[in-house]
Each structure stands twice: as C-alpha cells, then as structure tokens.
C-alpha cells in the first residue's frame, strides 16, 4: 500500500485530477477550477501515482510574488489517506518553491492539523505591508484575493484557515 511515487503532472492527468477533486469541490472543501484553467496551470501540478499508474493524489504550487507562493488543490484519494501521500506531495511542492526562490508559502485550508505539522502557522488577521498589498490587489486571481482576505472571497474563506509557512 506504500508503493507510490510523485512526479510532475502531464496534460493526460488533468481528467484524473478533475475526478479526484470533484467530490471535494462539491463538499466545498476545495475551490473548483475549470478544465481549461487546469490545463493552463498543469506545470504547477505534481501528482502521486501507484506503480500500476493509478492517480492517487495531486497538488499545485502557484507563485504569487517574488517571495510568495500558494499551495493549491492538494488532494489525496480517500483510499490512500494517512499513507504519506499528502506529505510526499507537499514536500515536492516545497522543494519546487525553494528552487524558484520563494521564502513564504500560503495555504487556505480546513486541514489545519496536517499543515501545522508541516510548519504552517495560522495567519490570524495578519495582512501584508501596504506596498505589496497595493500590487497584489490588482490581481484577478482568487487565491491572491484569499491571501489578502478580501471581502469578495469571504464566502470561499468561511470556516477555512489562512496559513503561512516560512521556508
Ligand atoms: C491548499 C489546499 O489545497 S488546502 C486543501 C487541503 N486538502 C483538502 O482539504 C482535501 C481533503 N484532504 C486530503 O486530501 C488529505 O487529507 C490531505 C491532502 C490534507 C492529507 O493527505 P494524506 O495523504 O492523508 O496525508 P499524510 O498521509 O501525509 O498525513 C496524514 C497522516 O498520515 C500519517 N502517515 C501515515 N503514513 C505516513 C508516511 N509514510 N509518511 C508521512 N505520514 C504518514 C501522518 O503522520 C499523518 O498522521 P497525523 O494526521 O496523525 O499526523
């Protein structure tokens, strides 16, 4: 049951990523993404697969600013929860973040214990310095709005915790 590996996503993984995340989107645990946006961000994704090629997990790293990135769409197949797949995916995303030169990683999640164990801390009402805020607020990206805790995304953030890790 522990035989899996993590690799970069390919375009052919996108339908399987959709199947993996769809139930979580309907339960409002993850933010829904259109297929066209998943193809457009396929380079951001890592997937976990079994030795026979089954896709059992996925996660993405989105760059928001020079030093700042966000962990997105991290999901593990129900049958594989608690076997280190989420850990392996997050580790791969963190390695990528460091390689890109990022020093802060954001996430918005209900899985506070999982992310706390990986060094993320509750941001509370912490915001960003005014200069950076002025730049980030120009973005149309939902994740950036969630990082800034903007009113228009409050319905997405309800019940979620904004967390940050210093790499
Ligand atoms: C930014 C975002 O995307 S936020 C959204 C986060 N995702 C979600 O909320 C979607 C729903 N949740 C999930 O898909 C999963 O629960 C995840 C992604 C959060 C975690 O995935 P999992 O594969 O279960 O995580 P993982 O197995 O690494 O860790 C969970 C537990 O298994 C344990 N574990 C068992 N085997 C191992 C192993 N070999 N290596 C590491 N941990 C292991 C861990 O210790 C941990 O136990 P703990 O919770 O008591 O500390």
């Amino acid at each position: 049951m522990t035989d899996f590996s993590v690799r970069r996503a390919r375009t052919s993984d996108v339908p399987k990523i959709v199947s993996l995340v769809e139930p979580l989107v309907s339960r409002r645990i993850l933010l829904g993404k259109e297929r066209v946006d998943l193809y457009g961000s396929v380079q951001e994704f890592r997937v976990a697969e079994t030795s026979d090629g089954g896709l059992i997990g996925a996660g993405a790293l989105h760059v928001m600013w020079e030093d700042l990135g966000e962990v997105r769409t991290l999901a593990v197949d129900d049958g594989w929860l608690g076997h280190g797949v989420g850990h392996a995916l997050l580790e791969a995303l963190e390695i990528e973040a460091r390689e890109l030169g990022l020093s802060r990683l954001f996430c918005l999640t209900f899985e506070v214990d999982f992310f706390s164990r990986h060094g993320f801390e509750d941001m509370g009402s912490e915001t960003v310095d005014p200069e950076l805020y002025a730049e980030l607020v120009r973005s149309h990206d939902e994740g950036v709005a969630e990082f800034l805790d903007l009113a228009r995304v409050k319905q997405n953030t309800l019940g979620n915790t904004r967390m940050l890790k210093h790499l």
Side-chain angles (χ1 to χ4, degrees), residues 21-36:
V21 302
E22 238 163 24
L24 295 162
V25 173
S26 349
R27 286 161 56 202
R28 300 178 68 91
I29 291 173
L30 291 182
L31 212 58
K33 269 192 156 187
E34 300 296 341
R35 263 162 213 261
V36 64

Side-chain angles (χ1 to χ4, degrees), residues 24 29-30 71-76 80-87 107-109 111 114-115 117:
L24 295 162
I29 291 173
L30 291 182
V71 176
R72 290 185 171 177
T73 325
L74 183 66
V76 171
W80 277 83
L81 293 174
H83 289 84
V85 178
H87 168 78
C107 75
L108 177 73
T109 187
E111 298 279 359
F114 172 82
F115 282 98
R117 277 190 296 275

Side-chain angles (χ1 to χ4, degrees), residues 32-86:
K33 269 192 156 187
E34 300 296 341
R35 263 162 213 261
V36 64
D37 294 325
L38 285 171
Y39 281 113
S41 58
V42 72
Q43 293 108 317
E44 298 184 351
F45 273 86
R46 292 287 187 286
V47 293
E49 71 177 355
T50 55
S51 48
D52 57 1
L55 191 141
I56 54 165
L61 172 72
H62 180 78
V63 176
M64 298 204 288
W65 199 251
E66 183 174 355
D67 63 332
L68 178 66
E70 180 184 10
V71 176
R72 290 185 171 177
T73 325
L74 183 66
V76 171
D77 181 270
D78 274 351
W80 277 83
L81 293 174
H83 289 84
V85 178

Side-chain angles (χ1 to χ4, degrees), residues 133 136-137 139 144-154 157:
Y133 186 95
L136 292 182
V137 81
S139 169
V144 173
E146 287 161 4
F147 176 70
L148 295 177
D149 211 16
L150 299 184
R152 74 173 164 85
V153 291
K154 284 287 185 199
T157 54

